[in-house]
Amino acid sequence: FLIMLPVTLVVPVLKELVADRFAASSFWTHSFMSINLIGAIAAAPVIAVLSDRTIARSRLVIVALLLESLFFWLMSLAPSLGLMLAARACEGAVHMLALSCLMAMAGDFAPPDQRGRTMGALGACMMFGTAGGSGIGGLLWRSWPDHMLQIAAMITIGAALFVALMVSNPRRQAVRNRLVDALALLKTKRALSIPYAYTFIDRFCIGVVISSFILYLGSVHHMDPEARSRLLAMFLVPFAVLVYPAGRLVDRIGSTIPLVAGSIGFGLVFASYGFFSPNALPVVMLISGLLSALMFAPTLSLCLEISPSKQRGAAFAGFNVAGSLGFVCGPLVGGAVCHLLESSLGVEGAYKAAFIVAGLAEVSCAVLTAPYLIAWGKRECFKSPAASLSA
């Protein structure tokens, strides 16, 4: 919760924080939401090795969070867009380290027959943090418009203190994995490509939401930061509330049905965002949040189930890399579609096209991966009766 909270404080005020502050173009404003993930992707192989070679993962989390707070502070002081983006890239790398280590720790704690609910609880905390940051970002901007990044830095320091005082380490042995072992994990565990594909496309869509959709609300519907913040919270709060029940559902019926059905439903709703009036958008956001929860918990549980216990840190680092790639591509593709089609379709039409592209990508992922997901689930059920509880 505390790790995700400061990251999303800036989402409702993306226009003011980047576009207005540095007179940045639409492309570079979108890029602010991607450059931190480029840093995370670049650092991922090292993160994968470090998280499995360290007995006390919480120490890595503390160091990573303290560094992240420093980079937030440097972003607030940056005199140019280039320096701000450089600090943002470094912030993304250390954020990835902290998050991957905590996800691996949650996997170590999870009993085999309760992996769905354990990862659902983890996902709920992550999404409550995401929703909280997005929900209060606009309010904080109204009161302290010049101190948003310093506030994010202070929250991150608080998260480091919380980990130091409250978070224990599950019993495990350090594994002397090499960099080549981490890089080869997907080759030895090809089934991991399924949750990786889903987290890629899910985060791709979220990337479009927090960039193109937020800019659409300001440019087309002329919503102020507070109104944008409220609407984003209507998407993220039900998402957060329902992730844990979705995890329990996974323990009962498996991942396949909620994952495929949720993805198709969410993709169709997403593709229609540009066709709803401002008055209808709150209901649309609530539906989106419900369907997103149905997708997120089984994706986390599936990654935990497939990952080798001795390379769990590497598996979740890869999971986060796939998600980060999606998050990078979302704002960039959304920005590119808007830029290319604005002259022919107008501003509103270009945004509609961006939402259709993202929504259909989600539907396509579900349709293409469903046969492999069903086949993998049948193999696991055949191997062990207990596997059906979490496969």
Side-chain angles (χ1 to χ4, degrees), residues 10-49:
V10 302
V11 171
V13 295
L14 177 61
K15 178 178 178 292
E16 291 77 9
L17 195 65
V18 182
D20 294 348
R21 178 182 172 187
F22 296 107
S25 67
S26 176
F27 177 82
W28 287 111
T29 303
H30 277 79
S31 297
F32 180 82
M33 300 309 301
S34 297
I35 194 69
N36 63 323
L37 299 170
I38 293 174
I41 293 165
V46 176
I47 292 170
V49 173

Side-chain angles (χ1 to χ4, degrees), residues 113-134:
D113 61 341
Q114 296 183 10
R115 285 171 171 163
R117 68 193 68 187
T118 300
M119 302 314 287
L122 171 70
C125 292
M126 291 170 61
M127 293 316 303
F128 273 119
T130 301
S134 301

Side-chain angles (χ1 to χ4, degrees), residues 259-330:
L259 189 52
V260 174
S263 296
I264 292 175
F266 177 75
L268 294 175
V269 172
F270 197 108
S272 65
Y273 278 179
F275 297 93
F276 291 100
S277 68
N279 292 332
L281 282 176
V283 176
V284 176
M285 292 298 102
L286 290 172
I287 295 172
S288 296
L290 185 154
L291 293 170
S292 295
L294 201 60
M295 295 150 44
F296 189 46
T299 307
L300 285 169
S301 179
L302 197 62
C303 185
L304 174 59
E305 178 68 23
I306 297 171
S307 61
S309 60
K310 293 183 178 180
Q311 289 184 282
R312 194 160 282 153
F316 277 107
F319 180 86
N320 286 323
V321 165
S324 296
L325 281 170
F327 211 98
V328 168
C329 293

Side-chain angles (χ1 to χ4, degrees), residues 139-350:
L139 296 173
L140 291 174
W141 180 262
R142 186 174 63 179
S143 301
W144 297 287
D146 297 324
H147 302 286
M148 288 290 290
L149 293 167
Q150 291 95 328
I151 293 170
M154 296 305 296
I155 294 172
T156 308
I157 291 174
L161 291 174
F162 182 88
V163 173
L165 296 174
M166 301 296 294
V167 178
S168 61
N169 287 282
R171 291 185 177 181
R172 59 181 295 275
Q173 291 182 343
V175 181
R176 305 296 292 181
N177 284 334
R178 300 168 298 165
L179 181 59
V180 67
D181 298 325
L183 294 174
L185 179 59
L186 188 57
K187 183 178 180 180
T188 57
K189 280 287 184 179
R190 293 182 180 179
L192 280 170
S193 61
I194 298 175
Y196 286 7
Y198 275 96
T199 194
F200 171 86
I201 202 65
D202 294 346
R203 294 285 293 277
F204 175 87
C205 289
I206 296 300
V208 175
V209 167
I210 67 166
S211 56
S212 299
F213 185 66
I214 291 298
L215 293 171
Y216 165 77
L217 295 177
S219 301
V220 176
H221 293 308
H222 308 292
M223 294 185 181
D224 60 26
E226 188 174 346
R228 289 175 241 157
S229 185
R230 284 198 304 269
L231 198 58
L232 197 56
M234 289 179 183
F235 169 59
L236 294 171
V237 169
F239 189 167
V241 169
L242 295 171
V243 169
Y244 178 71
R248 292 183 65 92
L249 181 66
V250 169
D251 286 335
R252 293 176 63 87
I253 68 171
S255 299
T256 301
I257 294 174
L259 189 52
V260 174
S263 296
I264 292 175
F266 177 75
L268 294 175
V269 172
F270 197 108
S272 65
Y273 278 179
F275 297 93
F276 291 100
S277 68
N279 292 332
L281 282 176
V283 176
V284 176
M285 292 298 102
L286 290 172
I287 295 172
S288 296
L290 185 154
L291 293 170
S292 295
L294 201 60
M295 295 150 44
F296 189 46
T299 307
L300 285 169
S301 179
L302 197 62
C303 185
L304 174 59
E305 178 68 23
I306 297 171
S307 61
S309 60
K310 293 183 178 180
Q311 289 184 282
R312 194 160 282 153
F316 277 107
F319 180 86
N320 286 323
V321 165
S324 296
L325 281 170
F327 211 98
V328 168
C329 293
L332 294 179
V333 171
V337 170
C338 291
H339 176 74
L340 292 173
L341 298 180
E342 185 174 341
S343 60
S344 59
L345 299 179
V347 173
E348 184 174 356

Side-chain angles (χ1 to χ4, degrees), residues 313-389:
F316 277 107
F319 180 86
N320 286 323
V321 165
S324 296
L325 281 170
F327 211 98
V328 168
C329 293
L332 294 179
V333 171
V337 170
C338 291
H339 176 74
L340 292 173
L341 298 180
E342 185 174 341
S343 60
S344 59
L345 299 179
V347 173
E348 184 174 356
Y351 279 116
K352 286 181 178 179
F355 304 147
I356 291 171
V357 168
L360 293 183
E362 181 80 51
V363 173
S364 298
C365 178
V367 172
L368 292 173
T369 60
Y372 300 98
L373 186 62
I374 293 169
W376 180 84
K378 288 180 178 178
R379 285 198 303 270
E380 292 301 302
C381 291
F382 178 77
K383 289 178 185 177
S384 170
S388 62
L389 294 171

